[in-house]
Amino acid sequence: MSAVPEPAAETVVMKFGGSSVADPEKIRHVARRLVQARERGVRVVSTVSAMGKTTDSLLELASQVSPHPHPRELDMLLSTGERVACALVAMAVHDLGQEAVSFTGSQAGILTDSVHTRAKIRQITPVRVLQALDDGRIVLVAGFQGFSRDTMDVTTLGRGAGDLTAVALAATLGAACEIYSDVPGVFTADPRLVPDARKLETVSYEEMLEMAASGARVLALRAVELARGHDVPIHARSTFSEEPGTWVQDVAGMEEPIISAVTHSEDEVLFTLRGVPDRPGVAAAIFEAVAGEHVSVDTILQNAVHGSAELSFSVPREDVVATRKALDTAQESIGAIEIEEVGDLGKVSLIGAGMRSHPGVAAQMFRTLADEGINLRLISTSPIKITCLVGSDEVEGAVVALHRRFLSGDAASGRSE
Ligand code: ASP
Ligand code: MG
């Protein structure tokens, strides 16, 4: 992202998700928030997602017209959702007496590669954004989209990438980054499962990355990665309240909590491959094929038994078809293997940067789950995360028990032990 000279006044990028602009009243509410910020004297750039479930509806519409929509045309179609929302917010800002202007991703100078439906941002040249800010306007930028100079076509950045647009703009403009949604921040667990889950004041980038990768839906994974890379603190907060939310930022040097959160996801499918030839290059061939289908795999486990290897990995249910296709491709080069698929699984993860320096967390986690009678299908760890694959009907009980053990009032008071 190209550096821009520091402006005299502070700039803020305010991102609103689809549920925050779902109807005309909400759009006017967002406009009021933008105007309030402008009246405090800051330069306001806002990126807004498509209204409500618009992107889903457009995808559905495309699939009714064509079984395999042409990717370029899909991007032409999907990019309209954000444009609609931005233009409407700009109108509502005008009615409140402030100047506003909306831009498409391309007008805002968001340049991407030319991979349709999952383009990567290469660079932002925000000439028109800066000009409009200098003119005192509130600037609306359509999220989730850009423009490829190679093909001169509109691209989209992948589902949920409105957050990515916001972080990329903040990094380029040297701006603060506020991501507004219908939840008040990042919680110690999903409050729908755990009513006494607490909102976290701060979370480190690396914890947030693990949380986003293991089921927390507050922020998109790619956006957190970009924020970490460019050191852009993110303030994740509610559209509908003034209350501070959660800061996702670099907390190095601060004393880190042992456990910050329990996350979960349902609908995992476990693939187990048996009779896999035990020689160099086989795992590479399998996972190259899987990556070729754009499936991101989690929790890979391999062990060798009697001269051949057994390999297990989990994927989200929506990636099962692509995974099967990849395994067909892989078998062309490595030969036939036995493939077993187990559905009806879910993942529960404990996340905390302080885990690194506190042995024994895994044992405590397994004991807590054992006491609930929960059987663990697969375990995987990173230095700051422990994940267990369990039956999907056991996910809720596991989350509740782990939160009680590690994060509820009593457990939390012993956190710095
Ligand atoms: N509208 C896009 C989607 O739903 C991008 C976003 O909301 O972040 O995937
Ligand atoms: Mg959306």
Side-chain angles (χ1 to χ4, degrees), residues 15 18 49-50 55 82 144 158-163:
K15 187 262 172 178
S49 283
T55 310
E82 271 63 13
F144 157 73
R159 296 306 308 271
D163 290 356

Side-chain angles (χ1 to χ4, degrees), residues 284-306:
I286 291 170
F287 290 103
E288 276 160 11
V290 171
E293 294 296 325
H294 305 280
V295 174
S296 48
V297 186
D298 190 65
T299 325
I300 304 174
L301 202 82
Q302 180 186 276
N303 56 354
V305 259
H306 314 302

Side-chain angles (χ1 to χ4, degrees), residues 91-120:
M91 291 174 196
V93 169
H94 277 284
D95 291 343
L96 296 169
Q98 283 282 346
E99 289 289 312
V101 58
S102 67
F103 292 131
T104 63
S106 138
Q107 288 172 317
I110 300 178
L111 301 177
T112 70
D113 62 21
S114 52
V115 183
H116 286 293
T117 75
R118 46 171 185 274
K120 291 206 164 57

Side-chain angles (χ1 to χ4, degrees), residues 7-35:
E10 183 200 334
T11 307
V12 63
V13 173
M14 299 169 71
K15 187 262 172 178
F16 293 87
S19 59
S20 302
V21 290
D23 59 43
E25 179 44 47
K26 289 186 172 140
I27 286 182
R28 285 194 294 268
H29 175 78
V30 165
R32 280 197 293 280
R33 290 208 78 138
L34 299 181
V35 167

